[in-house]
């Protein structure tokens, strides 16, 4: 196990790395989708879900990444008690939205590539139709359910003494009165997230099964170039979704084990707390990289923007000469 001095030296830069990768990457994706909306006047269902997912990850970077990074560099008492309540409500809600929207994305992708004979086929029309309502319900679910934790948030502790049954968020604290409330709140949060994790895992397994069947079918049947092009696009999108789900399940597994350990009532090693927080934030930084690397629309919009900026810079220099 690394020494205290080594951990203290590495810790700020580890959180800083996540922040400087996550926030600009998520901003770039939001910008790309806004350009797509301006040019095309509409977004596809998958693009809308990705846009909300990116926004949730972006806000998670602002409300969790930046305060955590500043605290790691030694900044203390950044918030008042009211500020702590608001920041806890925000980052807990946006973390939950990141989970549920990833689940919604995997469900929709499974529905899109499912055959017409599948029981999921009716959802091909229902999900786009009720997408706005579904997203609103998810926002309400998390902001309402996270209020019960956020109202107990405080900026500092009496006599700088950590009372029992306290969630240490480092730049804020959440103190509950009994072990039942402390442990029950922790389990409720984990079980709520676990429902979405299980659903996205099932849907990703179904996607992999369909991709396997598709690959066997392609080997035995020749189709037109146009049909193959559409199929390849859906296969690529499906693989990207499965990649996001796989990453999230791994990160959630590590975070969940450490979360259970943290609420068990035993003293938690600071290194364990740092690792748990790191994995809590990691998805919001890795997710935009996967989206940029696998989404042709995002790549195209960012490429056009960079070309426009380069052309503008060249024209500006030419006019000055």
């Amino acid at each position: 196990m690394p020494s205290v001095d080594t951990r203290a030296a590495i810790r700020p830069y580890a959180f800083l790395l996540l922040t400087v990768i996550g926030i600009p990457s998520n901003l770039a994706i939001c910008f790309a989708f806004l350009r797509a909306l301006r040019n095309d006047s509409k977004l596809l269902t998958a693009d809308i879900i990705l846009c909300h997912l990116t926004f949730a990850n972006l806000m998670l970077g602002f409300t969790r990444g930046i305060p955590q990074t500043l605290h790691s560099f030694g900044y203390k008492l950044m918030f008042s008690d009211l500020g702590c309540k608001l920041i806890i409500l925000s980052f807990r809600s946006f973390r939950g939205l990141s989970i549920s929207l990833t689940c919604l994305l995997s469900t929709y992708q499974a529905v899109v590539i499912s055959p017409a004979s599948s029981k999921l086929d009716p959802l091909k029309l229902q999900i786009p139709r009720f997408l706005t309502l579904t997203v609103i319900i998810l926002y309400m679910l998390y902001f309402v359910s996270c209020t019960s934790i956020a109202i107990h948030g405080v900026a500092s502790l009496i006599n700088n003494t950590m009372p029992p049954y306290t969630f240490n968020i480092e730049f804020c604290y959440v103190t509950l009165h009994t072990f039942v409330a402390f442990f029950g709140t922790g389990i409720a949060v984990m079980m709520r997230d676990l429902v979405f994790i299980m659903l996205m895992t099932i849907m990703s397994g179904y996607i992999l099964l369909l991709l396997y069947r598709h690959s066997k079918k392609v080997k035995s049947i020749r189709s037109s170039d146009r049909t193959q092009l559409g199929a390849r696009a859906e296969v690529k999108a499906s693989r990207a979704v499965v990649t996001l789900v796989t990453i999230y399940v791994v990160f959630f597994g590590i975070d969940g084990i450490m979360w259970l350990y943290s609420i068990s009532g035993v003293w938690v090693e600071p290194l364990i707390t740092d690792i748990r927080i790191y994995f809590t934030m990691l998805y919001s930084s890795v997710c935009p990289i996967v989206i940029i690397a696998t989404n042709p629309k995002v790549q195209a919009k960012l490429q056009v923007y960079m070309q426009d900026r380069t052309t503008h810079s060249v024209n500006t220099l030419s006019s000055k000469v």
Side-chain angles (χ1 to χ4, degrees):
M1 185 173 291
S3 65
V4 175
D5 291 339
T6 302
R7 185 176 67 86
I10 296 175
R11 182 172 178 267
Y13 298 100
F15 288 117
L16 178 63
L17 179 64
L18 291 183
T19 303
V20 298
I21 291 175
I23 291 179
S25 300
N26 284 303
L27 279 172
I29 297 172
C30 287
F31 175 75
F33 280 125
L34 286 175
R35 282 181 67 92
L37 180 61
R38 187 189 68 177
N39 296 337
D40 305 335
S41 300
K42 63 179 294 185
L43 292 175
L44 301 176
T45 301
D47 294 337
I48 295 173
I49 299 172
L50 277 174
C51 195
H52 281 284
L53 174 60
T54 302
F55 176 72
N57 288 332
L58 176 63
M59 296 308 298
L60 188 58
F62 280 128
T63 59
R64 181 59 162 170
I66 291 178
Q68 185 67 46
T69 302
L70 291 175
H71 182 273
S72 299
F73 278 101
Y75 290 89
K76 310 294 182 183
L77 296 175
M78 292 178 285
F79 303 104
S80 63
D81 286 352
L82 177 59
C84 275
K85 289 175 172 56
L86 293 175
I87 205 76
I88 291 170
L89 175 63
S90 297
F91 81 70
R92 293 299 305 175
S93 299
F94 285 115
R95 178 186 176 275
L97 281 166
S98 182
I99 297 173
S100 59
L101 289 168
T102 303
C103 178
L104 180 60
L105 180 64
S106 63
T107 301
Y108 178 69
Q109 192 60 40
V111 168
V112 166
I113 67 172
S114 64
S117 58
S118 170
K119 293 181 179 180
L120 295 178
D121 188 63
L123 294 177
K124 291 180 181 179
L125 295 177
Q126 297 300 321
I127 290 181
R129 181 181 178 185
F130 294 103
L131 180 61
T132 300
L133 178 61
T134 301
V135 172
I136 291 174
I137 290 174
L138 290 176
Y139 273 84
M140 292 178 60
L141 168 67
Y142 278 98
F143 273 93
V144 171
S145 63
C146 291
T147 302
S148 60
I149 296 179
I151 58 175
H152 297 286
V154 293
S156 59
L157 300 172
I158 300 174
N159 298 326
N160 291 323
T161 302
M162 181 82 69
Y165 318 130
T166 297
F167 293 110
N168 182 6
I169 307 172
E170 302 206 350
F171 50 85
C172 289
Y173 305 89
V174 175
T175 300
L176 301 176
H177 300 296
T178 65
F179 176 75
V180 173
F182 178 75
F183 187 77
T185 299
I187 289 295
V189 169
M190 185 173 181
M191 293 305 295
R192 180 197 61 194
D193 295 341
L194 189 60
V195 170
F196 289 106
I197 294 291
M198 292 177 63
L199 180 57
M200 72 171 74
T201 302
I202 293 171
M203 289 301 172
S204 295
Y206 180 63
I207 289 173
L208 289 175
L209 177 62
L210 292 177
L211 292 180
Y212 173 72
R213 290 176 178 174
H214 173 75
S215 65
K216 291 183 66 176
K217 187 176 180 181
V218 167
K219 290 179 182 178
S220 60
I221 300 177
R222 284 189 172 183
S223 56
S224 66
D225 292 339
R226 188 171 183 180
T227 302
Q228 287 184 355
L229 185 63
R232 286 173 192 159
E234 289 301 339
V235 167
K236 189 175 181 180
S238 299
R239 288 174 178 167
V241 170
V242 171
T243 300
L244 287 176
V245 172
T246 303
I247 292 171
Y248 209 113
V249 170
V250 172
F251 292 170
F252 178 83
I254 297 172
D255 180 25
I257 291 171
M258 295 182 177
W259 175 253
L260 283 175
Y261 181 69
S262 300
I263 64 176
S264 63
V266 300
W267 182 79
V268 180
E269 181 75 26
L271 178 61
I272 299 297
T273 300
D274 286 346
I275 294 174
R276 185 183 65 78
I277 295 173
Y278 192 82
F279 275 96
T280 299
M281 297 168 52
L282 191 55
Y283 182 75
S284 64
S285 297
V286 175
C287 179
I289 296 175
V290 174
I291 293 174
I292 292 173
T294 59
N295 191 293
K297 179 175 290 187
V298 172
Q299 293 172 358
K301 296 303 179 183
L302 292 178
Q303 186 176 6
V304 169
Y305 173 74
M306 294 303 297
Q307 290 174 348
D308 290 345
R309 294 295 298 174
T310 301
T311 302
H312 177 73
S313 298
V314 170
N315 293 336
T316 301
L317 290 174
S318 299
S319 63
K320 289 183 178 180
V321 173

